[in-house]
Amino acid sequence: MEAIGATSAFLYYLYLYTDLLKPPVTDCLNPVKYSPHTLINTTPLTSDTTLFRFRTNRPRFDSDTEKHIDEIIAQGVWSIDIKDHLVQTYRTYTPVDYKIGEVDDERGLREGYCDFVVKRYANGSLSRFLHNTRVGDQVEMRGPHVSWPYKANTYRRVYMVAGGTGITPMVQLIKRAIADPSDSTKFSLLYGSTTEDDILCREQLDAIAEQVPERLAIEYLVDQGPATVARVGRPDTKSVGRLVEGFDQTKDVVLVCGPDAMMHAVSGTRPIGPAQGPLRGVLRDLGLAPHSVFKF
């Protein structure tokens, strides 16, 4: 009987203080290999753009992998590779939100999620794949990866030119910096959309700008009216020049992200791979130096 009691006590200890007797934790991020993640919710944002929420769990006790993930996220703007397993191709997306909940002792994990804003393109195989994914389906992901290194107070002001879903790295960075009480960096955003109904993440952006108007200034542009909060127009010499007025090459930086036509006009497109490509377009015409501009 004593042996049975000792065994029971040992098993209870393993259950309570370790996860050896619990099912393996699934839906976990991994920076070096693809792992399946469950789609838990979708929210239509516009007629062709949807917010996808995927499960991203963590074990109750962090391994070296989880510590590495935290180190990557702490380095700046980060992204995730999402794979279409049907044709074995992938595309990189920047999350606009990432949360990890409290420990669930019964299951031995911390349940979390990651939000992606994705526009459906007629010729975009990955965007079509995601928009055809149903809640409960699993999609393979790899990451996080650092897209752009950022440390608090490195810059006096970060200027941003974004179009469409190119707003996603800007939203991630703004939310990160504003939430850091040690960071005093200011942000100026010029964001272009087709119409006011197509302005993505507007509620979040407006709420931040209202909360800390001294830290975040926003100008919305739309291709076509009616317009009540935006100017009708596109990022051109006039609007971008208005944005970067007072720009200091030694203290400030400009970030650009958007569809190819906008990138071509504002900064020149970025080639595939780590290279930025030559600075062209409006920002070059305004006299900015290549080292002062980063293209996502």
Side-chain angles (χ1 to χ4, degrees):
M1 292 296 292
E2 290 182 0
I4 295 176
T7 300
S8 299
F10 178 65
L11 291 175
Y12 180 73
Y13 171 85
L14 291 179
Y15 179 81
L16 192 63
Y17 296 105
T18 78
D19 295 326
L20 295 176
L21 302 181
K22 297 181 176 66
V25 180
T26 59
D27 297 276
C28 296
L29 291 174
N30 191 304
V32 297
K33 66 180 182 179
Y34 284 99
S35 57
H37 291 262
T38 305
L39 179 62
I40 58 176
N41 190 29
T42 61
T43 305
L45 302 179
T46 70
S47 60
D48 58 9
T49 304
T50 299
L51 185 144
F52 295 86
R53 175 165 291 183
F54 284 93
R55 179 72 64 210
T56 51
N57 294 331
R58 288 177 71 130
R60 174 167 55 169
F61 303 112
D62 285 344
S63 67
D64 289 341
T65 298
E66 282 70 45
K67 294 175 183 177
H68 184 39
I69 288 170
D70 290 343
E71 291 171 355
I72 293 172
I73 291 175
Q75 291 179 45
V77 180
W78 55 280
S79 56
I80 297 284
D81 298 331
I82 299 181
K83 184 168 72 171
D84 177 355
H85 65 276
L86 300 176
V87 295
Q88 294 300 305
T89 188
Y90 77 91
R91 182 168 178 175
T92 303
Y93 291 93
T94 304
V96 294
D97 203 4
Y98 172 66
K99 301 289 185 184
I100 297 294
E102 298 296 324
V103 173
D104 183 334
D105 288 321
E106 289 294 320
R107 295 188 293 163
L109 58 77
R110 287 166 287 173
E111 198 170 74
Y113 64 82
C114 202
D115 287 348
F116 301 89
V117 174
V118 181
K119 179 176 180 177
R120 180 171 189 149
Y121 292 95
N123 59 348
S125 63
L126 216 301
S127 69
R128 293 200 312 271
F129 166 74
L130 283 174
H131 279 262
N132 290 330
T133 301
R134 299 179 179 179
V135 172
D137 290 349
Q138 290 191 317
V139 171
E140 292 188 71
M141 298 184 187
R142 179 180 60 191
H145 315 292
V146 178
S147 304
W148 183 64
Y150 174 81
K151 290 181 66 176
N153 304 310
T154 300
Y155 303 100
R156 181 193 65 164
R157 183 178 292 272
V158 176
Y159 296 84
M160 301 171 162
V161 184
T165 53
I167 193 64
T168 56
M170 315 305 184
V171 169
Q172 187 192 111
L173 177 57
I174 290 169
K175 290 169 66 175
R176 169 203 191 97
I178 299 301
D180 181 355
S182 70
D183 196 343
S184 60
T185 307
K186 296 178 172 59
F187 297 86
S188 294
L189 169 65
L190 180 66
Y191 179 30
S193 305
T194 304
T195 69
E196 286 195 352
D197 290 338
D198 296 307
I199 299 175
L200 303 172
C201 304
R202 179 180 162 187
E203 288 186 6
Q204 295 182 57
L205 291 168
D206 288 348
I208 296 172
E210 182 177 352
Q211 174 190 355
V212 284
E214 73 283 0
R215 298 277 309 277
L216 175 60
I218 304 172
E219 180 177 343
Y220 296 118
L221 291 178
V222 292
D223 294 342
Q224 52 192 271
T228 58
V229 300
R231 293 175 184 258
V232 177
R234 298 190 177 187
D236 55 18
T237 303
K238 185 177 180 180
S239 59
V240 177
R242 189 166 57 242
L243 171 77
V244 299
E245 185 176 358
F247 183 85
D248 187 329
Q249 305 256 22
T250 65
K251 299 178 181 179
D252 304 330
V253 68
V254 179
L255 307 180
V256 190
C257 188
D260 286 347
M262 189 210 82
M263 297 292 292
H264 179 78
V266 173
S267 61
T269 56
R270 176 178 175 173
I272 296 175
Q276 285 282 295
L279 180 63
R280 296 192 171 101
V282 171
L283 291 175
R284 183 191 63 183
D285 295 343
L286 289 170
L288 272 74
H291 73 266
S292 297
V293 178
F294 181 83
K295 312 171 194 176
F296 283 100

